[in-house]
């Protein structure tokens, strides 16, 4: 396994640890809502949530280095393993139930990514795209994220966890995609050039928004659903951007590409199986835009 891919797996572990610890902290608070800044600030008073945020920053660091040394369309799919790491972490840290459907889904994720990693090799590509192309991508993905956010405001707890998670995943994918050109600017020029580039600020804004939305998703108590939807949408967005904007392709021969993409599809299917799992704790449906977390485990 190449160094960049190994770093991506380390990042996935930290992202899973971060989600689990942040959820553990959120379970000790009241309702968490994007419309209530106070509920988000209350999270910062929870020690477990703060530790989770530190783990998240570690994940960002490993992901940035991985993206700096590898291709977006190859590195980002490996983050699907976040859900594989999250299942046992959730079991031990927040008493989340693990059911056969989720174990099956995790096994499918591992198998699919093993195929993708062994057979798929990064091909050619560029490190940045014209600003007008990025602008179109930002507008389209922002509209998708907004639609998911609005849809997630009503419905069952599982629906809220899934849709808010999907929204966060779209924004994380956009942020990670913009991290690639930001790191390239840092490599070729200096920190001053990064701080004057629009890519850096777009990357930061998308990442911060994704972070906030994910907190609402995690506060539902549905860890597997929340992490799985993030793990599916994040790499999908990155693959589309990597292919369309950065002209990234897997290397020949063609049959390698076909098998690798089939493996990736299998991994995403496994993550989807986990996100659609309806087994587990009873849902507390408040009937409004707030998410009422399940009681913290004793």
């Amino acid at each position: 396994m190449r160094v960049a891919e190994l770093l991506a797996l380390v990042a996935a572990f930290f992202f899973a640890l971060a989600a689990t610890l942040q959820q553990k902290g959120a379970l000790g608070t009241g309702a968490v809502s994007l419309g209530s800044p106070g509920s988000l600030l209350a999270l910062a008073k929870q020690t477990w949530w703060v530790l989770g945020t530190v783990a998240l920053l570690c994940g960002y660091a490993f992901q940035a280095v991985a993206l700096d040394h590898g291709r977006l369309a190859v590195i980002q799919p490996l983050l699907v393993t976040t859900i594989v790491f999250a299942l046992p972490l959730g079991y031990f840290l927040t008493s989340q139930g693990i059911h056969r459907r989720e174990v099956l889904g995790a096994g499918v994720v591992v198998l699919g990514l093993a195929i993708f990693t062994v057979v798929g090799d990064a091909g050619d590509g560029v490190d940045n795209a014209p600003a007008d192309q990025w602008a179109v991508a930002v507008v389209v993905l922002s509209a998708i994220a907004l639609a998911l956010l609005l849809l997630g405001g009503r419905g069952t707890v599982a629906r809220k966890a899934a849709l808010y998670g999907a929204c966060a995943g779209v924004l994380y994918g956009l942020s990670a995609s913009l991290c690639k050109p930001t790191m390239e600017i840092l490599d070729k020029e200096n920190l001053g050039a990064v701080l004057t580039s629009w890519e850096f600020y777009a990357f930061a804004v998308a990442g911060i928004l994704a972070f906030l939305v994910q907190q609402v998703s995690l506060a539902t108590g549905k860890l597997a659903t929340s992490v799985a939807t993030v793990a599916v949408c994040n790499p999908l967005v990155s693959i589309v951007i990597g292919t369309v904007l950065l002209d990234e392709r897997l290397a020949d021969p063609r049959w390698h590409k076909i098998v690798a993409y089939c493996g990736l599809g299998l991994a995403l299917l496994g993550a989807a199986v986990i996100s659609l799992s309806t087994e587990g704790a009873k849902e507390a449906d408040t009937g409004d835009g707030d998410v009422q977390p399940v009681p913290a485990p004793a």
Side-chain angles (χ1 to χ4, degrees):
M1 179 175 288
R2 291 166 286 274
V3 174
E5 295 170 356
L6 181 60
L7 291 173
L9 292 177
V10 175
F13 170 78
F14 275 107
F15 288 146
L17 179 61
T20 308
L21 293 175
Q22 286 176 334
Q23 186 200 51
K24 187 175 180 68
L27 294 179
T29 65
V32 178
S33 170
L34 292 174
S36 174
S39 67
L40 293 170
L41 290 174
L43 293 174
K45 299 178 182 178
Q46 301 293 324
T47 302
W48 288 113
W49 187 88
V50 173
L51 291 174
T53 302
V54 172
L56 183 66
L57 294 175
C58 291
Y60 281 150
F62 280 105
Q63 182 188 27
V65 177
L67 288 171
D68 191 35
H69 291 82
R71 291 295 177 191
L72 184 70
V74 174
I75 297 302
Q76 285 297 101
L78 295 178
L79 297 184
V80 179
T81 53
T82 299
I83 184 56
V84 179
F85 293 124
L87 288 176
L89 287 171
Y91 177 80
F92 288 110
L93 295 178
T94 58
S95 301
Q96 297 282 315
I98 300 179
H99 307 283
R100 285 181 296 179
R101 188 173 181 178
E102 294 166 346
V103 173
L104 175 62
V108 172
V109 169
V110 172
L111 175 61
L113 287 180
I115 295 172
F116 179 79
T117 304
V118 170
V119 180
D121 291 314
D124 295 329
V126 297
D127 294 312
N128 207 343
D132 58 338
Q133 294 183 15
W134 274 116
V136 172
V138 169
V139 170
V140 171
L141 292 173
S142 297
I144 293 173
L146 179 60
L148 290 168
L149 192 64
L150 294 175
L151 289 172
R154 295 291 186 272
T156 65
V157 172
R159 173 189 167 105
K160 292 173 181 176
L163 291 175
Y164 280 126
C167 176
V170 170
L171 293 171
Y172 274 133
L174 176 60
S175 179
S177 301
L178 288 163
C179 178
K180 177 76 174 173
T182 299
M183 294 299 293
E184 182 65 16
I185 294 171
L186 181 61
D187 287 342
K188 290 185 175 179
E189 300 184 47
N190 51 46
L191 182 59
V194 170
L195 295 177
T196 57
S197 68
W198 70 266
E199 289 94 339
F200 169 74
Y201 293 100
F203 147 71
V205 169
I208 291 170
L209 291 176
F211 171 80
L212 294 175
V213 174
Q214 189 181 28
Q215 301 316 305
V216 182
S217 179
L218 290 171
T220 63
K222 296 287 186 179
L223 180 67
T225 301
S226 176
V227 175
T229 49
V230 172
V232 169
C233 294
N234 185 346
L236 279 178
V237 168
S238 298
I239 290 169
V240 171
I241 290 179
T243 302
V244 177
L245 267 64
L246 304 182
D247 199 29
E248 294 184 349
R249 303 288 189 277
L250 294 182
D252 289 326
R254 182 173 298 178
W255 75 267
H256 272 209
K257 296 181 182 180
I258 295 173
V259 174
Y261 282 126
C262 285
L264 177 59
L266 192 64
L268 294 175
L269 176 62
V273 167
I274 297 172
S275 70
L276 294 173
S277 176
T278 56
E279 296 183 87
K282 287 185 177 181
E283 297 176 351
D285 195 358
T286 62
D288 57 22
D290 293 342
V291 173
Q292 193 71 32
V294 298

